[in-house]
Amino acid sequence: MLFNDQQVEKLVGVETPFYYYDLALLERTLDAAKQAADKRKFHIHYALKANFNDRILSIIRSKGFGADCVSGNEVQKSIDVGFEASKITFAGVGKSDKEITSALKHQIFAFNVESIQELEVIDELAAKLGEKANVSLRINPNVDAHTHHYITTGLDENKFGVPNSELEQAASVLRSCAHVNLVGLHFHVGSQITDLNVFKSLCVKVNEWKNWFEERGTYIKVINVGGGLGVDYHAPDENPIPDFEAYFDVFDKFLDRNGQQEVHFELGRALVAQCGSLVSKVLYTKSGTKKHFLILDAGMTELMRPALYQAYHKIEKIGSDPSAKTINYDVVGPICESSDCFGKEVPLPESKRGDLIAIRTAGAYGEVMASRYNLREEIRYIYST
Ligand SMILES: *Cc1c(COP(=O)(O)O)cnc(C)c1O
């Protein structure tokens, strides 16, 4: 249950829908991740794309995390919030010249490069500025993340990374580019990965590629294994904090590294998903011949994951009423799209117009994906204190 009765009272009169962020839980999660990483001398870059709410970012920065960005504006945002440039990485298959130039001027830690062509463009733009760009080569490890196909990124058929068949050429292009400096290798296999064996397989591939480069006389200082650690969408109260110890332990055990080599991670979801919930009000109830519907004032414009990749989110009624009978509802939003549905046949206490509903585990890829489709209102949010 998200709120106790006292907290529910405070919500009365607050305009819905809104994101509710539990900052105490965020801090506990960050501390757990940081401790488990520090113990093994691992570095964590927070993947901004999961949530770039100002307050959340400044808490993450204050705990000493780096930033992992996928656009020029994310790089700028991290700088504005106070992340050190020396802890900012910039990834993505389609970095524009403008974005690259701006990141070069900020002297960020490294570009995660996804093609030979991009390598050449970065070299050229760095030459113009008289800079030297640090780069990591993104390698597609061909590891199946066993997650939804829209969030699987590490297979040969995906658009991400330098194709394995071009790595020989990439290594020679690197030697001829005077304005780029290879700092490491980058991998990322996908998102919402809950089977740690996937990361074990990743380690095996990383070791192979690291050897491959070292055999060719290229020293790899940084091994960046990406992000992707999943969270428990089904039991947010029982498992509010991912098992970072077990996660980092896999890399500690299975990744070959010498004393000087650094291991970097780019966690997004695992750090912020559980601290956020979308709070919404029941506008209408509707019962057809086969179905009971709860029509909410929040829809896919506030939380797109269910519509976009059939993602599951736990749906709860806020406030307790032990005498209410349970009804299986289809919980839907107001948007004119059939995919605007948060859950089908969801067992909930019988609800009426005006009741509050929480959609849990919405702190990652929630607020950031909100849209103005249907000219919906700007997203609102409140923080626990
Ligand atoms: C999205 C992304 C991440 C973060 O993924 P999570 O599943 O949120 O941890 C990390 N690295 C890269 C390259 C990404 O694209």
Side-chain angles (χ1 to χ4, degrees):
M1 201 47 90
L2 179 59
F3 303 109
N4 61 35
D5 289 345
Q6 268 174 332
Q7 289 169 316
V8 175
E9 270 171 36
K10 284 197 200 152
L11 296 177
V12 174
V14 180
E15 193 181 358
T16 52
F18 58 85
Y19 274 91
Y20 171 84
Y21 291 117
D22 179 345
L23 299 182
L25 176 58
L26 173 65
E27 295 216 20
R28 288 203 305 279
T29 308
L30 296 171
D31 291 343
K34 193 78 169 56
Q35 273 168 23
D38 284 353
K39 206 157 102 184
R40 299 165 173 94
K41 296 199 168 66
F42 289 165
H43 301 255
I44 309 176
H45 290 92
Y46 167 63
L48 255 80
K49 73 174 194 274
N51 190 318
F52 43 69
N53 182 289
D54 282 336
R55 187 90 176 261
I56 287 183
L57 281 187
S58 72
I59 292 173
I60 294 174
R61 182 202 53 78
S62 73
K63 301 271 179 190
F65 289 75
D68 170 47
C69 304
V70 289
S71 75
N73 286 343
E74 283 191 1
V75 172
Q76 187 61 53
K77 180 92 186 170
S78 334
I79 300 273
D80 292 347
V81 174
F83 283 92
E84 294 161 48
S86 63
K87 286 188 182 174
I88 297 176
T89 54
F90 183 12
V93 284
K95 304 177 192 74
S96 71
D97 294 22
K98 185 177 155 190
E99 291 176 311
I100 293 169
T101 302
S102 158
L104 281 167
K105 286 183 182 158
H106 285 303
Q107 300 187 308
I108 62 164
F109 172 69
F111 292 85
N112 293 334
V113 170
E114 308 226 5
S115 70
I116 292 176
Q117 203 170 26
E118 183 190 334
L119 203 54
E120 292 167 339
V121 169
I122 292 177
D123 185 54
E124 196 184 306
L125 295 172
K128 261 191 215 157
L129 293 175
E131 293 277 351
K132 194 147 185 172
N134 281 333
V135 301
S136 287
L137 276 187
R138 179 164 181 178
I139 299 178
N140 203 323
N142 205 19
V143 167
D144 192 341
H146 300 294
T147 182
H148 191 279
H149 61 282
Y150 278 10
I151 49 177
T152 293
T153 55
L155 289 175
D156 283 343
E157 68 210 48
N158 296 125
K159 68 177 175 181
F160 300 99
V162 180
N164 292 355
S165 56
E166 289 181 12
L167 282 170
E168 191 80 59
Q169 197 195 339
S172 89
V173 169
L174 268 167
R175 282 188 287 272
S176 68
C177 289
H179 292 269
V180 297
N181 170 40
L182 183 76
V183 292
L185 302 178
H186 174 232
F187 303 83
H188 176 71
V189 285
S191 205
Q192 184 49 19
I193 297 164
T194 50
D195 176 0
L196 292 182
N197 285 315
V198 170
F199 295 114
K200 211 192 271 186
S201 311
L202 171 62
C203 289
V204 172
K205 293 294 175 91
V206 172
N207 293 340
E208 283 173 17
W209 282 112
K210 194 165 75 72
N211 285 339
W212 190 92
F213 275 87
E214 286 173 350
E215 278 164 11
R216 282 158 182 78
T218 307
Y219 178 67
I220 300 301
K221 175 148 186 283
V222 173
I223 308 157
N224 181 334
V225 293
L229 176 63
V231 298
D232 193 341
Y233 280 93
H234 290 266
D237 292 316
E238 294 79 355
N239 294 311
I241 299 177
D243 190 347
F244 293 111
E245 277 290 334
Y247 170 68
F248 288 125
D249 209 39
V250 169
F251 293 91
D252 208 9
K253 278 211 182 89
F254 296 100
L255 212 54
D256 298 335
R257 54 172 168 151
N258 63 34
Q260 277 83 51
Q261 281 170 323
E262 296 177 12
V263 185
H264 291 206
F265 293 81
E266 302 168 335
L267 293 175
R269 187 190 313 269
L271 299 177
V272 294
Q274 296 290 21
C275 79
S277 296
L278 177 62
V279 176
S280 176
K281 201 171 266 177
V282 176
L283 287 176
Y284 303 102
T285 56
K286 198 186 223 181
S287 289
T289 46
K290 290 190 183 137
K291 289 269 188 193
H292 299 286
F293 290 99
L294 280 188
I295 301 164
L296 304 185
D297 63 1
M300 61 190 284
T301 41
E302 284 68 45
L303 178 63
M304 187 152 68
R305 299 185 69 255
L308 188 61
Y309 14 69
Q310 297 146 344
Y312 172 87
H313 284 265
K314 187 164 189 224
I315 302 172
E316 285 172 2
K317 187 171 171 198
I318 295 177
S320 50
D321 176 6
S323 64
K325 64 174 180 183
T326 299
I327 294 184
N328 289 337
Y329 287 108
D330 279 17
V331 181
V332 303
I335 308 302
C336 306
E337 299 284 343
S338 301
S339 60
D340 185 29
C341 175
F342 290 120
K344 289 196 152 69
E345 300 286 326
V346 184
L348 287 169
E350 184 167 21
S351 302
K352 59 183 189 310
R353 174 173 164 83
D355 285 348
L356 290 176
I357 299 287
I359 302 173
R360 304 289 306 274
T361 320
Y365 307 106
E367 186 190 336
V368 281
M369 284 193 187
S371 87
R372 302 295 305 277
Y373 182 48
N374 289 192
L375 206 48
R376 296 275 290 170
E377 279 186 38
E378 202 88 58
I379 195 79
R380 285 178 293 267
Y381 43 85
I382 64 172
Y383 306 102
S384 69
T385 45

